[in-house]
Amino acid sequence: MTLYFFRILSRLPLPVFYAIANVLYYLLAYVIGYRKEVILTNLKRSFPEKSDAEHRRIAKKFYRNFADVLVETVKLPGLSPSALKKRVQFTNKHIVLDKLAAGQPVLIMASHQCNWEWAPSASVVNGMPADAVYKKLNNELSEHLVRYIRARFGAKPVPMKSLLREMASRRHEPRLIALVADQIPDQPEYGYWTPFLHQETPFYPGTERLARTFKIPVFYIEMERTRRGHYSMTFHPIAEPPYDHLPNGELINRYRDLLEKTIQKAPSDWLWSHKRWKHQRSQYEKTQVKW
């Protein structure tokens, strides 16, 4: 019944969703103050050169964009393939299509920038089969809805704990393997720590480890908001095998640098409500990355 209601809801026109988003923005920013302290603290530490007034302006714009992402995620199953293709356009998909045509899977390092929920489905309707790697949710209903949304256009949702098995069993299947790589590692003590936005930050070393183990090329996908409900996506090569000449951590460092540039261009489009820096490196000085 819940899924049936969700399907009906997703068929509402986008202008209705954006009217809801306008109300949601006001509630998040001015009534609830959703994670206000987390957002402002993250902004102050990431942009120490900016004034408090600038931090508040970015935060308000973040709330507006975040409200849009929430309603757009609900709307996704109700979009037609042609509408999605029009709203998410790729500037250089040929460089990835060439890899897929050669029979190669490709590892995509994505981020919580703009509407990351639309990205895998947009890839599929643009001729690029995609696995959307995600952390499985504990709530059964939420898990069911998330899988329904992400699989709507043919993308394959892959729980992170199943990723290694999936990659081994489908190692010769050409597709995008998309990971949102700016999440907090489950075991920060074994994370790859590196400066990011003026702060020591742990990254999943597993992403780089997978690329090296399965000898597949890696791209960063940059998503930019061109106007409300419209996005542009650009692939940036990070590296491709052989990786023997690259030191451990180099792929993550290149991803970090590209992501920083994206965030600096449009800071309000990143997920500042995420508790990205809740761990401190000093807590884990005696541990090492499991390469």
Side-chain angles (χ1 to χ4, degrees):
M1 179 62 73
T2 302
L3 186 56
Y4 177 76
F5 172 76
F6 188 85
R7 287 172 177 168
I8 297 299
L9 181 64
S10 70
R11 296 183 182 278
L12 290 173
L14 260 172
V16 174
F17 276 102
Y18 286 131
I20 295 171
N22 292 340
V23 175
L24 190 57
Y25 155 68
Y26 180 82
L27 292 175
L28 290 172
Y30 298 103
V31 179
I32 301 171
Y34 174 69
R35 292 194 173 183
K36 181 179 178 181
E37 291 304 316
V38 172
I39 294 166
L40 288 176
T41 298
N42 285 344
L43 286 169
K44 287 175 183 178
R45 291 177 178 174
S46 301
F47 300 104
E49 75 283 0
K50 295 185 184 297
S51 67
D52 288 346
E54 288 175 302
H55 295 144
R56 288 192 295 271
R57 280 197 293 271
I58 294 171
K60 286 182 180 179
K61 195 170 180 181
F62 159 77
Y63 279 123
R64 185 173 295 281
N65 292 343
F66 183 57
D68 279 5
V69 169
L70 292 176
V71 299
E72 286 171 3
T73 300
V74 176
K75 174 61 182 175
L76 178 58
L79 289 174
S80 67
S82 60
L84 181 59
K85 193 171 182 178
K86 181 180 178 181
R87 288 180 172 277
V88 183
Q89 298 191 352
F90 289 80
T91 63
N92 63 344
K93 63 182 179 181
H94 64 279
I95 65 173
V96 167
L97 285 170
D98 288 346
K99 299 289 185 187
L100 299 179
Q104 282 188 301
V106 175
L107 190 65
I108 302 295
M109 297 181 77
S111 70
H112 289 97
Q113 185 79 5
C114 294
N115 192 335
W116 60 93
E117 290 290 355
W118 276 15
S121 294
S123 299
V124 173
V125 300
N126 276 276
M128 295 172 284
D131 286 359
V133 183
Y134 74 104
K135 288 184 179 180
K136 193 171 182 179
L137 303 176
N138 293 325
N139 181 276
E140 187 176 344
L141 176 58
S142 298
E143 170 71 10
H144 190 52
L145 285 175
V146 164
R147 289 186 65 87
Y148 167 69
I149 291 171
R150 292 175 179 172
R152 169 67 178 83
F153 291 89
K156 180 179 173 62
V158 176
M160 191 172 291
K161 290 184 178 180
S162 305
L163 179 58
L164 185 60
R165 184 172 64 251
E166 286 278 342
M167 290 187 70
S169 63
R170 302 164 60 209
R171 64 187 308 155
H172 300 300
E173 181 182 330
R175 68 200 187 282
L176 307 187
I177 304 165
L179 300 98
V180 180
D182 58 353
Q183 301 182 72
I184 304 171
D186 291 332
Q187 295 179 298
E189 63 270 29
Y190 298 116
Y192 176 72
W193 289 81
T194 183
F196 172 62
L197 293 173
H198 302 285
Q199 300 160 85
E200 287 292 329
T201 308
F203 286 81
Y204 272 107
T207 307
E208 178 165 333
R209 195 161 56 234
L210 289 169
R212 291 177 181 270
T213 299
F214 292 98
K215 299 178 175 58
I216 57 178
V218 183
F219 288 79
Y220 164 63
I221 184 69
E222 180 178 32
M223 194 172 197
E224 298 177 274
R225 187 187 305 270
T226 54
R227 65 183 192 274
R228 195 175 203 182
H230 292 262
Y231 302 93
S232 172
M233 301 191 74
T234 303
F235 291 107
H236 297 274
I238 289 180
E240 58 182 85
Y243 294 119
D244 297 342
H245 65 292
L246 296 177
N248 288 332
E250 179 61 21
L251 275 65
I252 296 174
N253 288 342
R254 293 180 183 184
Y255 166 75
R256 173 205 63 196
D257 293 345
L258 288 164
L259 176 57
E260 273 199 351
K261 289 179 182 178
T262 300
I263 293 171
Q264 288 163 355
K265 282 194 294 185
S268 59
D269 274 324
W270 198 54
L271 188 63
W272 294 104
S273 57
H274 183 42
K275 295 181 179 180
R276 188 68 180 88
W277 293 282
K278 65 181 181 181
H279 300 289
Q280 300 300 313
R281 186 171 190 172
S282 58
Q283 299 174 264
Y284 309 110
E285 287 179 346
K286 296 182 180 180
T287 58
Q288 294 183 347
V289 179
K290 292 181 177 180
W291 293 113

